[in-house]
Amino acid sequence: MKTIIATALVATLGFAGAASAMSNSHVNAAQKTLETYGFSVDASQLSNGQAAALATLSVDTDIERHGRAEAQAVNKIRTILK
């Protein structure tokens, strides 16, 4: 019984560590996205969902006018931060 509990605890801590590492990578990517578009927001204060959304934000680079693509990205970020 003690072996099973110890194994379960180790597995739980391992999953928590993996989730934390994934969350950290999302926070780092989200912070980079925020800084790229001029937002002075601390990504570590965002929810996991917001950080993930910012980390995976896609910008349509096929738009001919660069300013329009940037404006769309800024609007997406504002929506995520609400």
Side-chain angles (χ1 to χ4, degrees), residues 1-8:
M1 180 73 166
K2 289 181 183 178
T3 304
I4 293 171
I5 292 172
T7 303

Side-chain angles (χ1 to χ4, degrees), residues 61-80:
T61 57
D62 290 337
I63 295 176
E64 289 181 23
R65 290 183 13 224
H66 175 71
R68 185 169 174 210
E70 186 170 333
Q72 285 182 352
V74 169
N75 286 334
K76 287 180 183 180
I77 293 170
R78 286 184 182 143
T79 300
I80 293 167

Side-chain angles (χ1 to χ4, degrees), residues 46-55 80:
L46 300 175
S47 71
N48 288 338
Q50 287 173 311
L54 288 168
I80 293 167

Side-chain angles (χ1 to χ4, degrees), residues 17-42:
S20 177
M22 183 173 67
S23 178
N24 284 339
S25 68
H26 279 161
V27 169
N28 293 338
Q31 189 65 53
K32 185 175 178 180
T33 299
L34 289 166
E35 290 171 359
T36 297
Y37 291 100
F39 287 83
S40 53
V41 175
D42 183 1

